[in-house]
Amino acid sequence: MTAKLNKYKNLNKTILLAVLYNYQILKQSIMKITDFTQHSDVFHLIEGLKNEGIPKKQFSDVLDEDGNQYVELVMEGGGVLGVALIGYNFVLEQMGLRFFSLAGTSAGSINALLLAGMGDVSKPKAEKLVDVLANKNLMEFVDGDSDAQDFVEAIVKDAGMMKMVWKGVQIVDNIRDDIGLNPGKNFLDWMAGILKKNGIETVADLEKNFGAVPGGLKIREGIGRSIDGLRPRFTVIAADLTSETKVEFPRMASLYWDDDKSVNPAVFVRASMSVPYFFSPLIIDNVPQGEQAMHNWKSLAGFNGIPPKKALFVDGGIMSNFPMDVFHKKNVVPRMPTFGVRLGVDRDKANNIKGPGKLFGAMFNSIRHLHDYDFILRNPDYKQLLEKIDIGDHNWLNFAMPKEDKIDLFVRGAKAAAMFLRKFDWKSYKVMRQKHVDALS
C-alpha cells in the first residue's frame, strides 16, 4: 500500500512539474502591449518627435477642444504585413492625430474596421489593436484541411519545386470543390467577436458608434470655414466577380441585402480579404431582385442587366489595393488631409520576367495596381500625402509569423510614420491644392 501511495505521489509531482514548466514557457511566449508600444526604438522615436514639437505642428484645419487634429486615413492591403499599419497608426495617434474617416482593402480593411469599431473618432485606438493582434495565432486563419495547411507552410518556407508540386497535387480537390484552400470562417468569427465586444453587430451599430461627430469639433481659427457637412466615413473595397464591380462597403451594401443596415460589418472585411484561391470566395445568396434593385445596380454600380441572384467576392486588391480615391474631391481645398500608407516599396525597378510563373505574377500585380497608380498619376498632389513602409523580407503569407517578426513590422510602421510627420507640410499642401482648384475653374 505504501509503495502504491509513493508511486502516485511521484506521478502527481511529475505532472505538477510538467504543468509548471509549460506554464513558464507559455508565460514567456505571451506578448504584452508594451512589447510593442514601449519597444526601445518606438519609445525613443516618440520622445524625439515630442522634443521636435511635432504634436504642435499643423496637420489639419479640423480640431477638437483637446487640440487633437483630424485626418482621413487610407490603408493598403498586404496580408499579415498589416501589423506594420498598427505601428504607423500608433505613432500618429501619439502625436495627437485622430482618424475621422477610414478606408482600406484586404489587410487595410481589417485595420480600418477595427479602428472604426472600437469607439468614436475622438478616441485613440491603436493600442487596442495591438492588444487584439499581439497574441493572436494568425495560423488559425488558415482553417482549411491538413493538405491546405501543409501547402501554405511549403509556400512560406519557400520549399523546393518537387515538394511544391507534390503539395500542389494534394490540394487539387480543395480548389476544385471550394475554389479556395481555406473557408475563412475562423477569420469571420474572430472579427465578428471583436466587434461584438465593442457593442457592434450591425452596420447600424457601426454608424451610431463611429459615425457620430465629436462634440467640440471646430475649424482652426483664421480659416474662415465651418465643420458643416463633415461626417465620419468608413469604406472597405471588395471585388464582386459576378458583376465585375469594385464594391465600396457599406455604401453599396443595399445591392446585396434587402436590409443592409442589419448586416454585420465583419462580412465586408471577409469579402475584402478573400485572397483568390488562398481563401474561398465569399458568396452572398438571395441578392435583391426586381425593378428597384435594377435601378440601384445601374445607379450605384453601372450594371445594366438583371442583378445576379448570388454574388461571389474575392480580395478587393485585384481591383484597388490602395483605394486612395474614395475620399477625394478634386474641386475643393479639403478641411482635413487624406493620409495614405502603403506596405512596401514598389515600382522602383522593372520586373525581370522569366518563365510562366513570373509572367503570371507580373500580370496580376499590374492589374491590381493599375487603378491606384493611374489615380495618383493624375493627382500628383497626393504624393505629399503618402508614405510607404519598408517591410523588409517579411512574407505577406507568413501566417506562422513569430512574435519577433510582429514586433519588427510594428517598429517599421512606427519609423515610417515618424518620417512622414516630419516632412508633411499642411500649409504647402493646401497651396498646391488651391492652384489645382483654380486651374479647374
Side-chain angles (χ1 to χ4, degrees):
M1 179 67 71
T2 302
K4 282 188 176 182
L5 286 174
N6 288 335
K7 181 179 179 181
Y8 284 125
K9 285 181 180 179
N10 290 334
L11 178 62
N12 290 336
K13 184 177 180 180
T14 301
I15 293 174
L16 179 60
L17 288 173
V19 170
L20 288 173
Y21 175 77
N22 289 328
Y23 171 75
Q24 288 299 323
I25 295 295
L26 179 63
K27 186 176 179 181
Q28 291 175 13
S29 64
I30 291 176
M31 303 180 73
K32 303 183 291 292
I33 295 177
T34 52
D35 291 336
F36 295 84
T37 60
Q38 295 298 310
H39 185 278
S40 59
D41 288 352
V42 177
F43 176 81
H44 292 301
L45 180 151
I46 289 175
E47 288 301 304
L49 292 173
K50 289 179 179 178
N51 291 335
E52 294 170 34
I54 296 298
K56 296 180 180 179
K57 183 177 176 180
Q58 290 189 16
F59 292 100
S60 171
D61 288 336
V62 181
L63 316 167
D64 63 22
E65 293 176 331
D66 296 323
N68 297 312
Q69 303 183 65
Y70 288 75
V71 302
E72 297 174 326
L73 182 66
V74 178
M75 292 170 281
E76 186 176 38
V80 297
L81 303 178
V83 175
L85 298 173
I86 306 176
Y88 193 92
N89 300 340
F90 174 72
V91 171
L92 264 59
E93 287 186 345
Q94 290 296 301
M95 295 301 106
L97 297 181
R98 297 293 180 263
F99 309 127
F100 192 82
S101 294
L102 292 156
T105 301
S106 195
S109 74
I110 296 171
N111 281 270
L113 181 55
L114 290 175
L115 287 169
M118 291 180 170
D120 68 64
V121 299
S122 68
K123 294 181 175 60
K125 306 162 190 174
E127 284 195 52
K128 291 185 178 181
L129 265 67
V130 175
D131 191 32
V132 164
L133 289 173
N135 292 298
K136 176 62 181 175
N137 179 8
L138 301 179
M139 273 299 292
E140 292 176 1
F141 296 153
V142 183
D143 55 352
D145 61 20
S146 59
D147 289 338
Q149 294 182 22
D150 288 346
F151 184 73
V152 172
E153 183 179 355
I155 293 175
V156 172
K157 292 184 177 180
D158 198 19
M161 179 60 70
M162 289 299 294
K163 186 172 184 178
M164 288 298 298
V165 170
W166 171 244
K167 294 298 181 183
V169 170
Q170 294 177 320
I171 62 166
V172 169
D173 57 330
N174 302 70
I175 302 298
R176 181 192 63 226
D177 299 336
D178 303 319
I179 328 180
L181 297 179
N182 303 289
K185 185 177 184 303
N186 284 1
F187 172 84
L188 180 60
D189 291 344
W190 173 76
M191 179 64 77
I194 295 173
L195 293 178
K196 186 175 182 179
K197 289 180 181 178
N198 287 274
I200 294 174
E201 296 184 73
T202 66
V203 171
D205 295 333
L206 181 64
E207 290 177 348
K208 179 180 178 181
N209 287 22
F210 176 73
V213 176
L217 201 68
K218 59 185 179 181
I219 294 292
R220 189 181 301 277
E221 290 184 12
I223 298 303
R225 300 179 68 180
S226 71
I227 64 168
D228 292 347
L230 282 180
R231 290 291 181 274
R233 292 174 291 173
F234 166 76
T235 300
V236 300
I237 304 298
D240 173 8
L241 298 187
T242 314
S243 63
E244 300 180 7
T245 301
K246 186 186 85 168
V247 179
E248 296 181 11
F249 284 131
R251 184 177 69 86
M252 298 168 67
S254 61
L255 299 180
Y256 303 94
W257 292 275
D258 285 311
D259 184 7
D260 56 291
K261 298 298 182 184
S262 66
V263 177
N264 193 313
V267 175
F268 304 154
V269 177
R270 170 63 181 88
S272 182
M273 53 74 72
S274 303
V275 178
Y277 298 113
F278 189 87
F279 288 106
S280 297
L282 177 73
I283 297 176
I284 303 299
D285 293 307
N286 304 313
V287 174
Q289 302 293 306
E291 290 187 11
Q292 183 59 49
M294 290 183 65
H295 172 76
N296 291 342
W297 274 86
K298 186 172 183 178
S299 61
L300 290 176
F303 186 79
N304 297 313
I306 297 174
K309 293 183 178 180
K310 71 176 182 180
L312 185 149
F313 288 93
V314 297
D315 193 326
I318 72 168
M319 292 185 176
S320 178
N321 200 45
F322 183 52
M324 196 65 185
D325 59 332
V326 293
F327 301 139
H328 180 56
K329 294 181 179 179
K330 64 180 181 180
N331 59 342
V332 298
V333 177
R335 287 167 284 187
M336 67 179 77
T338 301
F339 290 165
V341 53
R342 309 196 69 173
L343 293 167
V345 177
D346 50 19
R347 299 190 88 189
D348 59 341
K349 60 181 179 180
N351 291 322
N352 183 19
I353 302 173
K354 292 183 178 180
K358 293 289 186 180
L359 176 63
F360 176 81
M363 286 191 299
F364 182 76
N365 284 331
S366 296
I367 292 169
R368 72 192 187 101
H369 290 145
L370 175 63
H371 173 81
D372 305 326
Y373 287 155
D374 184 58
F375 171 77
I376 295 173
L377 185 63
R378 289 184 288 105
N379 298 275
D381 56 295
Y382 266 64
K383 290 183 180 179
Q384 292 191 31
L385 303 171
L386 307 182
E387 189 57 72
K388 298 177 182 178
I389 300 174
D390 176 8
I391 48 84
D393 296 325
H394 293 288
N395 188 323
W396 69 280
L397 278 177
N398 187 12
F399 286 82
M401 178 181 294
K403 65 179 184 179
E404 293 80 11
D405 286 3
K406 289 183 180 180
I407 293 175
D408 183 58
L409 282 170
F410 183 90
V411 172
R412 287 172 178 271
K415 290 180 178 179
M419 186 184 310
F420 174 76
L421 292 173
R422 288 186 173 112
K423 70 183 180 182
F424 179 69
D425 188 328
W426 173 233
K427 292 182 179 179
S428 174
Y429 174 73
K430 287 196 298 179
V431 169
M432 176 179 284
R433 282 298 298 268
Q434 186 62 61
K435 291 180 179 178
H436 180 69
V437 171
D438 292 343
L440 293 174
S441 59

